[in-house]
C-alpha cells in the first residue's frame, strides 16, 4: 500500500535495539527533514505529492491481514512519523482499539508533536543525533534538535513508556560526545543502544568498548551495543534486507 504519507507496510522482525528479533508490523511513514549521512531509508524521506491521500481504513485492513500469532507490536517508523502527527495519532489510536501494542521510532524532531501522541504508545525508540551524523547543517540547528530530543526522552520516560534511546556510532565518535548525552539522560529509566555504523565509517571494537564504558559510568547496565541485525536477514532470493 502506497500513499502520500505512507511509504510501505510490511511484517518482519525488529532489527535494532532492546526489542531485537520481536515480530512487528512496520508502518513506514514518508517524509523526514533531517539528512543523516548514513540514512538507509532515503527513498522514504520525501512525501509523494503525486500519490493518493492515505486511506486509514485500507491501512487498518492491511494491518489486520498481517497479524500473526507471534506479533509483538506495531512499529510506526520512517522517514519521521512525527512529521505526519495527525495521521500517526489516528492510526495509533485505531491500533490501540484493536488491542495492539504500539512502538514509535522517531528522531525526536518535535517535542510538541511527541507530547500529543505519547499516550497512544507503549514503546518509544528515540534517536539522539550527534554532530558527526550531519543530520542538520549548522551547530545552532543541531543544538535545537538535541534539545527537542531530550524533551521527547523526558516525556516518554515520565509517561511510563518503555523508552529506548539509540545513538548511531560512526568511527569519529568521541568519548566526550557520549558522556555529554549520557549525563543529560542519566536520570531517566531508559535503555541506551550504541549502534555501530555498518560500512565504510564503522567504529573499531576498541572504540565501542571505550564508549560503552563511558556510557556505563552514567547508566550502569542499561547500555547495550547492538548493530543493525535486519541487514543480516535474507529474502527467498538470497538478497539481504536493508
Ligand atoms: S532521521 Fe532517519 S530517516 Fe531521517 S535522515 Fe536520519 S536516518 Fe534518515
Amino acid at each position: 500500500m502506497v500513499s502520500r504519507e505512507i511509504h510501505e507496510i510490511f511484517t518482519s522482525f525488529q532489527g535494532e535495539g532492546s526489542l531485537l528479533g520481536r515480530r512487528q508490523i512496520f508502518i513506514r511513514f514518508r517524509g523526514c527533514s533531517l539528512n543523516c549521512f548514513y540514512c538507509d531509508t532515503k527513498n522514504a524521506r520525501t512525501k509523494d505529492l503525486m500519490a493518493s491521500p492515505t486511506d486509514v481504513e485500507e491501512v487498518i485492513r492491511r494491518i489486520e491481514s498481517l497479524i500473526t500469532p507471534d506479533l509483538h507490536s506495531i512499529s510506526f517508523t520512517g522517514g519521521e512519523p512525527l512529521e505526519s502527527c495527525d495521521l500517526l495519532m489516528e492510526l495509533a489510536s485505531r491500533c490501540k482499539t484493536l488491542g495492539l501494542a504500539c512502538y514509535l521510532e522517531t528522531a525526536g524532531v518535535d517535542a510538541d508533536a511527541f507530547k500529543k501522541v505519547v499516550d497512544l504508545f507503549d514503546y518509544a525508540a528515540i534517536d539522539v543525533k550527534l554532530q558527526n551524523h550531519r543530520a542538520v547543517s549548522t551547530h545552532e540547528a543541531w543544538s535545537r534538535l538535541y534539545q527537542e530530543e531530550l524533551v521527547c526522552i523526558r516525556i516518554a520516560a515520565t509517561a511510563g513508556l518503555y523508552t529506548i534511546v539509540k545513538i548511531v556510532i560512526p568511527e569519529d565518535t568521541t568519548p566526550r560526545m557520549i558522556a555529554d548525552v549520557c549525563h543529560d539522560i542519566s536520570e531517566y529509566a531508559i535503555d541506551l543502544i550504541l549502534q555501530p555504523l555498518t560500512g565504510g565509517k564503522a567504529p573499531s571494537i576498541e572504540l565501542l568498548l571505550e564508549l560503552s564504558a563511558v556510557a556505563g559510568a552514567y547508566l550502569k547496565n542499561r547500555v547495550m551495543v547492538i548493530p543493525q541485525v535486519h541487514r543480516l536477514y535474507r529474502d527467498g532470493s538470497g538478497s539481504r534486507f536493508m
Side-chain angles (χ1 to χ4, degrees):
M1 187 241 165
V2 173
S3 73
R4 209 165 281 174
E5 300 90 357
I6 305 284
H7 180 66
E8 57 184 348
I9 301 173
F10 61 98
T11 178
S12 189
F13 306 106
Q14 177 54 244
E16 299 180 349
S18 316
L19 298 189
L20 197 65
R22 299 283 193 173
R23 181 75 174 263
Q24 292 184 318
I25 295 169
F26 294 82
I27 304 176
R28 187 181 304 288
F29 283 71
R30 290 184 191 279
C32 177
S33 53
L34 303 185
N35 190 27
C36 310
F37 79 85
Y38 51 77
C39 183
D40 59 4
T41 54
K42 286 193 168 68
N43 54 1
R45 285 209 341 234
T46 46
K47 295 203 174 174
D48 184 353
L49 299 178
M50 302 300 286
S52 50
T54 302
D55 180 338
V56 170
E57 299 308 322
E58 193 186 336
V59 174
I60 297 300
R61 279 195 296 278
R62 176 82 175 128
I63 290 170
E64 288 178 317
S65 76
L66 292 172
I67 291 175
T68 51
D70 57 340
L71 181 69
H72 178 273
S73 48
I74 309 298
S75 174
F76 295 81
T77 188
E80 173 51 66
L82 290 180
E83 292 187 10
S84 303
C85 184
D86 291 345
L87 180 61
L88 178 64
M89 279 178 77
E90 191 171 1
L91 290 175
S93 166
R94 291 289 298 273
C95 288
K96 295 303 283 182
T97 305
L98 291 171
L100 302 169
C102 293
Y103 176 101
L104 177 60
E105 295 192 64
T106 175
V109 293
D110 183 341
D112 288 338
F114 190 88
K115 202 173 194 171
K116 284 186 196 165
V117 303
V118 67
D119 289 340
L120 296 167
F121 286 87
D122 305 281
Y123 304 86
I126 302 168
D127 282 9
V128 169
K129 303 297 182 187
L130 302 177
Q131 287 200 67
N132 61 347
H133 296 183
R134 303 197 293 277
V136 287
S137 52
T138 66
H139 180 76
E140 290 69 29
W142 174 80
S143 285
R144 281 196 300 276
L145 174 62
Y146 181 59
Q147 291 308 318
E148 293 291 313
E149 293 163 346
L150 290 181
V151 176
C152 289
I153 292 165
R154 176 174 56 74
I155 293 169
T158 55
L161 274 66
Y162 187 124
T163 305
I164 301 160
V165 177
K166 186 188 85 188
I167 308 177
V168 172
I169 307 293
E171 63 180 354
D172 57 350
T173 306
T174 65
R176 182 77 262 155
M177 291 174 179
I178 298 302
D180 287 347
V181 177
C182 292
H183 171 268
D184 290 342
I185 62 174
S186 60
E187 68 187 279
Y188 306 122
I190 53 99
D191 286 348
L192 176 69
I193 310 300
L194 303 179
Q195 181 175 291
L197 190 68
T198 39
K201 292 181 181 294
S204 65
I205 184 66
E206 290 80 9
L207 177 59
L208 291 172
L209 289 166
E210 182 181 7
L211 299 180
S212 178
V214 167
Y218 296 89
L219 299 166
K220 308 291 179 201
N221 61 1
R222 288 177 283 153
V223 184
M224 289 174 259
V225 175
I226 307 177
Q228 278 186 314
V229 168
H230 56 268
R231 288 170 179 265
L232 302 176
Y233 302 150
R234 291 177 182 274
D235 66 20
S237 68
S239 303
R240 289 189 191 282
F241 284 108
M242 293 297 287

